[in-house]
Amino acid sequence: MQNGRDTLSGIEDALRDLKTQEAALQGELEEANKERASLVADRLDAMRELASIRARDAFSDGVIDEADNLSHQVRTILEARQRTILQLKERHVSAEAERDRHVARQDALTREIAALEERLDRVASEARAALATDRAYADLVQRRNDAAETYARAKEKAERAALDEQEKGAPYRGDPLFMYLWQRKFGSAEYTATGLVKVLDQWVAGLVKYTDARANYAMLTEIPVRLRAHADDLSRRNDGLAGEIEMLEAERTLALAGADLVGELTRQRDAQSALGKDLERITSELAETGNQLRIYAKGEDSSFISAVASYATFLDREPPRRLMADARATPGSEDDRAVEQITKLANQLEDIEERIKGRRRLLDQIAEKRLDLSRVATDFRRQRYDDVGSQFNDSSRTEDLLQLLLRGAITAADYWMRMKMQQSWRHRPADPWRRRSGLPPFDGFPSDWGGIFGDGGGGGGGGGRGKRGGSSGKDFETGGSF
């Protein structure tokens, strides 16, 4: 068993690790992009140098001026791009700091609420002890316990009758002629056939001895229905008695707790809700800036693509290509060295592109996991799973699920679904008051909360999932529901 706060702490630790990995990869790719930009600029300079050499032989064809203009344009684009990146980083760092502050405030608030909730449970235990001496309360508890035992026996009898009907009714359901007449309601007031059809049905009924068989099968099918209806009536009676017990306990708890405790708990819960909404807003801001920074780190933004494309277009045009072809055809070596430098820089560009391809994929994977985990942490708080009453039934299983998510073996949706199946709410003395006060956490309480009835007979449940967690509901000597 692991409490919700420890589970959330593990999620936050994993989230911090992913952020560190993502920041390191972004830094690597940004440096690689700078190197790429530098290499293409060097290629342009080498081409300008070649044009300068060939200009002496009147082969430059305006390449020098065009290269100078292009260098200025691209430099302007890259400088504006860098300013945008810095602005995005400032937004992202600011959002990260704001999230850290909110998480710290929320964790502190959760601890304060836990202390108030534990104090409320102590008051509820005192209320329960005080009620134990109340004759009317003790009589109500006894009536509820007696009714619960009666219900348990009635339910068991109804289940046995249903199984008996399944077994003994099989031969009837396996007889097609009998079932034909049964479905046509032959022999009852609802049978409406006339004429030849009625005559034929009477003939079939004689063949299968339908009259006696119908009476037996009708009794066999009606008994489970009546017993189940009787058990349902008893269950509703149990609900009513349990609700009366819960109301008494809630009222006595409120009387002993006083307005100060209840008011403070209400204020803290309201503050918790407000912080949760702020955290959702911050998470959206982090997702937006994080995605934009990832695009820039990978060099997939329009400004960088435009800058590189401008270089590539220039280098693929006829005059630069003709310059290189002419240089290879001349007997001199000066222009040949320039061509070799241009070719060498082109090869280096290909190498760096190949080197960072895998880093881009890894950055995408880590960024996706970070975003998923951020949303999981936000949903975790929204559902109050970090509350003092929340627990996860198998601590090793919850840790395994987190590792599976981080490895990409399961999706965030799979993780969340399985975590919800692991989560449950502890039974606590003040739960009758909690359910009736409207203060969270109350949605998702087990439907058999405090139920000694076993299948949802407990009163005042909060419309929950029907899960159990914690005690059986009879930890107190009076046997009242909690």
Side-chain angles (χ1 to χ4, degrees):
M1 197 73 69
Q2 179 172 289
N3 66 55
R5 280 181 290 178
D6 288 344
T7 305
L8 179 59
S9 178
I11 293 172
E12 288 289 347
D13 287 345
L15 188 55
R16 278 189 287 272
D17 288 342
L18 286 174
K19 288 175 183 175
T20 301
Q21 294 176 46
E22 184 179 20
L25 273 173
Q26 283 182 346
E28 288 181 33
L29 286 170
E30 284 175 10
E31 288 301 317
N33 284 330
K34 289 178 183 177
E35 188 177 349
R36 287 171 66 202
S38 177
L39 286 171
V40 292
D42 288 346
R43 263 189 96 194
L44 186 62
D45 288 342
M47 181 59 70
R48 188 185 183 286
E49 182 182 351
L50 176 61
S52 178
I53 294 169
R54 300 299 295 152
R56 295 194 294 267
D57 299 322
F59 284 117
S60 67
D61 290 342
V63 169
I64 295 175
D65 291 339
E66 189 173 356
D68 286 342
N69 291 333
L70 181 59
S71 291
H72 176 72
Q73 292 171 13
V74 171
R75 187 165 56 250
T76 302
I77 291 173
L78 293 179
E79 286 173 354
R81 176 181 186 270
Q82 192 59 34
R83 288 194 296 272
T84 301
I85 291 174
L86 290 174
Q87 291 171 359
L88 278 171
K89 283 185 174 179
E90 288 176 3
R91 279 179 58 192
H92 194 74
V93 168
S94 175
E96 285 282 13
E98 189 177 8
R99 185 183 189 278
D100 289 343
R101 288 193 298 271
H102 270 69
V103 167
R105 287 170 59 194
Q106 195 150 40
D107 288 346
L109 191 56
T110 299
R111 290 192 294 271
E112 292 172 14
I113 289 172
L116 291 171
E117 293 282 10
E118 288 165 3
R119 196 171 135 206
L120 182 65
D121 282 329
R122 289 195 296 272
V123 170
S125 296
E126 295 170 7
R128 179 71 61 80
L131 281 170
T133 62
D134 186 300
R135 181 64 187 169
Y137 175 80
D139 179 63
L140 190 59
V141 169
Q142 185 60 51
R143 286 167 54 204
R144 196 282 307 273
N145 290 343
D146 291 344
E149 292 177 6
T150 304
Y151 165 71
R153 291 194 297 270
K155 180 191 172 193
E156 182 181 0
K157 190 173 181 180
E159 290 172 347
R160 282 201 308 268
L163 290 173
D164 196 42
E165 191 275 335
Q166 286 295 316
E167 180 182 348
K168 294 181 179 178
Y172 293 94
R173 288 187 291 273
D175 186 332
L177 293 178
F178 173 82
M179 289 308 296
Y180 160 78
L181 293 172
W182 175 264
Q183 290 166 1
R184 290 179 61 80
K185 303 185 186 302
F186 183 81
S188 71
E190 298 175 67
Y191 180 73
T192 57
T194 59
L196 181 59
V197 173
K198 183 176 181 180
V199 171
L200 290 173
D201 285 348
Q202 289 171 340
W203 176 70
V204 171
L207 287 177
V208 299
K209 298 182 173 57
Y210 178 77
T211 301
D212 292 338
R214 177 183 175 277
N216 292 335
Y217 187 64
M219 183 177 295
L220 194 62
T221 55
E222 287 174 12
I223 288 174
V225 174
R226 292 177 182 177
L227 290 177
R228 183 69 254 183
H230 177 60
D232 288 344
D233 287 341
L234 291 173
S235 177
R236 285 188 287 273
R237 182 186 173 199
N238 289 340
D239 287 346
L241 291 170
E244 291 180 46
I245 293 171
E246 185 174 86
M247 180 65 77
L248 289 174
E249 292 172 356
E251 289 174 351
R252 184 63 63 91
T253 298
L254 180 60
L256 291 179
D260 290 344
L261 174 56
V262 172
E264 180 62 17
L265 188 54
T266 302
R267 284 190 293 274
Q268 298 287 52
R269 286 294 188 186
D270 288 343
Q272 189 181 48
S273 296
L275 276 176
K277 291 178 182 178
D278 282 346
L279 201 55
E280 291 179 26
R281 173 186 57 77
I282 296 166
T283 299
S284 297
E285 169 73 358
L286 282 170
E288 180 187 347
T289 55
N291 285 336
Q292 288 296 318
L293 284 171
R294 178 161 51 97
I295 290 171
Y296 278 94
K298 292 164 61 182
E300 294 177 350
D301 55 289
S302 59
S303 56
F304 193 81
I305 291 171
S306 173
V308 174
S310 297
Y311 283 131
T313 301
F314 171 80
L315 293 170
D316 285 342
R317 285 183 51 201
E318 180 61 23
R321 294 176 68 181
R322 183 152 49 87
L323 275 173
M324 294 176 67
D326 291 343
R328 291 189 181 99
T330 61
S333 62
E334 188 179 7
D335 51 0
D336 288 340
R337 284 194 296 272
V339 171
E340 288 175 7
Q341 178 67 4
I342 293 169
T343 304
K344 178 183 176 182
L345 290 169
N347 292 334
Q348 289 177 345
L349 272 170
E350 290 181 7
D351 290 343
I352 196 172
E353 279 289 343
E354 189 62 31
R355 194 169 73 242
I356 66 177
K357 193 179 296 182
R359 311 305 282 172
R360 286 178 181 145
R361 285 196 298 269
L362 183 57
L363 178 61
D364 282 338
Q365 292 167 4
I366 290 177
E368 185 176 349
K369 289 176 188 175
R370 176 193 56 77
L371 185 58
D372 283 343
L373 210 54
S374 293
R375 288 169 176 160
V376 164
T378 300
D379 286 342
F380 200 97
R381 290 183 170 91
R382 185 191 296 120
Q383 295 294 331
R384 313 284 185 180
Y385 284 177
D386 59 332
D387 198 86
V388 63
S390 176
Q391 62 188 7
F392 290 82
N393 300 329
D394 187 342
S395 58
S396 61
R397 180 62 177 153
T398 59
E399 292 165 5
D400 289 344
L401 286 174
L402 182 57
Q403 292 305 313
L404 287 172
L405 175 62
L406 294 175
R407 291 201 303 268
I410 59 174
T411 66
D414 289 334
Y415 172 82
W416 187 244
M417 178 188 69
R418 298 184 196 187
M419 286 294 285
K420 286 172 70 174
M421 293 173 64
Q422 286 286 318
Q423 194 271 344
S424 61
W425 298 98
R426 291 190 298 109
H427 297 310
R428 293 176 288 169
D431 286 338
W433 179 84
R434 289 186 181 95
R435 284 193 293 275
R436 294 180 181 276
S437 70
L439 283 179
F442 58 90
D443 185 39
F445 276 179
S447 60
D448 57 335
W449 199 267
I452 59 177
F453 316 119
D455 71 335
R465 298 181 297 275
K467 297 189 305 180
R468 289 181 179 84
S471 65
S472 66
K474 295 186 70 176
D475 286 358
F476 296 87
E477 291 182 0
T478 60
S481 65
F482 57 94

